[in-house]
Amino acid sequence: MRIERLQLRLLRLPLVHFFETSFERVYNRTFIVVIVTADGEDGVGECVADQTPYYSSETAATAWHVIKDFIAPAILGRTFERASEIFPALRAIRGHNMAKAAVEMAIWDAEARQLGVPLSRLLGGTRLRIESGVSVGIQDSYEQLADKIADELAAGYRRIKIKIKPGWDVDAVRVVRERFGAVPLMVDANAAYSLQDADHLAALDRFDLMMIEQPLDYDDVHDHATLQRALRTAICLDESIHTPKIAREAIESSACRVINIKPGRLGGHRESIRVHDIAAAHGVPVWHGGMLESGIGRAHNIHLASLPNFTLPGDIAASRRYYAPDLIDPPIEVRPDGTIPVPDGPGIGVHIDWDRVRHATLETYDVRA
Ligand code: OSB
Ligand code: MG
């Protein structure tokens, strides 16, 4: 595959409902869509870097800069046998996994389209549908939280994750348990606590949660191992796991019993598969996270989540929870049984509505070999 052309589009889309984590409340998403042309075939990827550096150090602006000034020159005009060669070819660029992932994933899409196969086949996926869960943000009141969860359960979702932060944690979980009983439930703290909160977090143990996601610092492994020894509830790491090496260290030091895989955080599909395989070899289950992607990124996620060790429901939900309309038509829908079928057309297998993409575009960049 000769990499012939790379296009960037900076888009802004309003969210259907605001989304609040321990670090911020957002009402819209500003993100980059990448289109790579290889041997005459276009592939599309979405960059999950946000406007703010609060989830990770990358932002849409840093990703734009790194793709334009470093990634594009490193791959344009070069020939690769497979998309799996892209991440290693970018080794000289340290970090910037979200920027790398957007380009790498577009090239996986292009390769799958050239071969005329669904992306899931190329990635090694084994399932035809994936199990879907939802991530419910911090709300204005516990009543609003309970109302949202009631809607999600009625739609069929197979597990509920609620965001927590100091002041919105044990009581929020209690409200959910009292109202909804033994539904599969977990919490995500997005790094809002420290080891000094260990006793407070242990108060969550009696609610029989599936796991607590990233309670401690965004780059921490060691303190999570200490905390895991003090908790009955399983720890899942998200932010901390940005390389396969750290995934191995986290598993071997028992800092977590579950891993959240997000290809944006890891640098794309290749590195995600490596983390998936390391976890599988250690008997550690993984699930697929989400970053409020449009249908483009969401479609990539669905294909990746079809690999065998994604044994827990992920944060991959229907388009209508995020964007109305989505950038893809038809949108992604969840079946009443809480599953999403893996698209079976070539590549990511969804139809992009380019008029909607153009309408949401703030800025473009286009470069050829
Ligand atoms: O920590 O998983 C997270 C969204 C933005 C940033 C970080 C996270 C999230 C989510 C939302 O939890 C998942 C989704 O529905 O896309
Ligand atoms: Mg998370």
Side-chain angles (χ1 to χ4, degrees), residues 6 9 14 36 46 54 56 84 174 187 233 248 250 262 277 287 361:
L6 185 144
R9 284 177 171 274
V36 178
E46 174 172 339
Y54 303 150
S56 84
S84 58
R174 183 179 299 114
V187 295
T233 309
R248 182 175 288 114
K262 292 177 180 172
D277 292 350
W287 53 276
T361 297

Side-chain angles (χ1 to χ4, degrees), residues 1 40 49 56 69 82 107 115 123 165 215 220 230 243 248 256 264 268 274 284 293 298 311 313 323 347 354 361:
M1 282 189 293
S56 84
D69 296 332
R82 327 202 51 165
I107 297 172
L115 296 171
L123 297 173
K165 65 176 180 182
D220 173 78
T243 64
R248 182 175 288 114
C256 64
R274 291 183 63 204
V284 168
E293 290 92 340
R298 191 173 309 282
T311 51
Y323 306 104
W354 289 104
T361 297

Side-chain angles (χ1 to χ4, degrees), residues 19 21 23 50 55 133-136 161 163 188 190 213 238-239 260 262 287 289-293 298 315-317 321-322:
F19 190 73
T21 57
F23 54 86
D50 225 317
Y55 168 82
V134 284
S135 173
V136 180
K161 154 171 146 182
K163 293 290 190 178
D188 185 359
N190 288 109
E213 186 178 346
D238 171 356
E239 283 89 330
N260 167 334
K262 292 177 180 172
W287 53 276
M291 291 290 288
L292 312 178
E293 290 92 340
R298 191 173 309 282
D315 283 347
I316 307 177
R321 293 190 68 242
Y322 305 89

Side-chain angles (χ1 to χ4, degrees), residues 19 131-137 139 145 147-163 176 183-188 210 213 287-290 292 298 312-322 334 338 340:
F19 190 73
E131 285 189 282
S132 185
V134 284
S135 173
V136 180
Q139 307 296 324
L145 177 70
D147 287 349
K148 285 204 81 74
I149 292 173
D151 288 348
E152 307 296 12
L153 291 171
Y157 289 105
R158 292 199 175 185
R159 72 95 166 99
I160 302 292
K161 154 171 146 182
I162 65 168
K163 293 290 190 178
V176 177
V183 296
L185 181 66
M186 59 174 288
V187 295
D188 185 359
M210 298 168 78
E213 186 178 346
W287 53 276
H288 203 301
L292 312 178
R298 191 173 309 282
L312 296 165
D315 283 347
I316 307 177
S319 295
R320 70 161 61 92
R321 293 190 68 242
Y322 305 89
V334 168
I340 300 177

